[in-house]
Amino acid sequence: MRLDKYLKVSRLIKRRTLANDVADAGRVIVNGKTAKASYAVKVGDEIEITFGNNPVKVRVLSVDEPRGKDVARELYEVLPL
């Protein structure tokens, strides 16, 4: 699954276009490297997103498309910075 789509379906970012813009601006780091929106997310990847002064770091647990918004939090686990 593409990085921008993963950020949207996991509800880390509300809109895919915004996820695309954030990734292209270099504010998304996957496994220690800056990633583009087209990066293919895999289970086990560590994603760090910078929203202004609030960085968020998560580990990918699943890349399956969720069936509802209640299941979206099961796609990742939040890691300490």
Side-chain angles (χ1 to χ4, degrees), residues 48-67:
E48 186 173 340
I49 310 161
T50 305
F51 298 112
N53 295 331
N54 299 328
V56 176
K57 189 171 186 179
V58 299
R59 179 178 295 125
V60 177
L61 299 178
S62 173
V63 291
D64 297 332
E65 187 103 17
R67 297 288 178 229

Side-chain angles (χ1 to χ4, degrees), residues 11-57:
R11 303 200 185 261
L12 288 166
I13 297 180
K14 291 187 179 192
R15 293 183 308 274
R16 188 169 176 181
T17 54
L18 181 59
N20 202 333
D21 293 342
V22 169
D24 289 342
R27 295 187 294 180
V28 179
I29 299 171
V30 179
N31 299 327
K33 297 179 183 176
T34 305
K36 294 187 178 188
S38 61
Y39 174 81
V41 177
K42 298 175 284 303
V43 174
D45 283 347
E46 291 186 3
I47 302 172
E48 186 173 340
I49 310 161
T50 305
F51 298 112
N53 295 331
N54 299 328
V56 176
K57 189 171 186 179

Side-chain angles (χ1 to χ4, degrees), residues 6 9-10 59-64 66 68-77:
Y6 181 81
V9 298
S10 65
R59 179 178 295 125
V60 177
L61 299 178
S62 173
V63 291
D64 297 332
K69 62 184 174 183
D70 300 340
V71 190
R73 288 195 175 151
E74 296 174 7
L75 294 177
Y76 62 91
E77 68 175 329

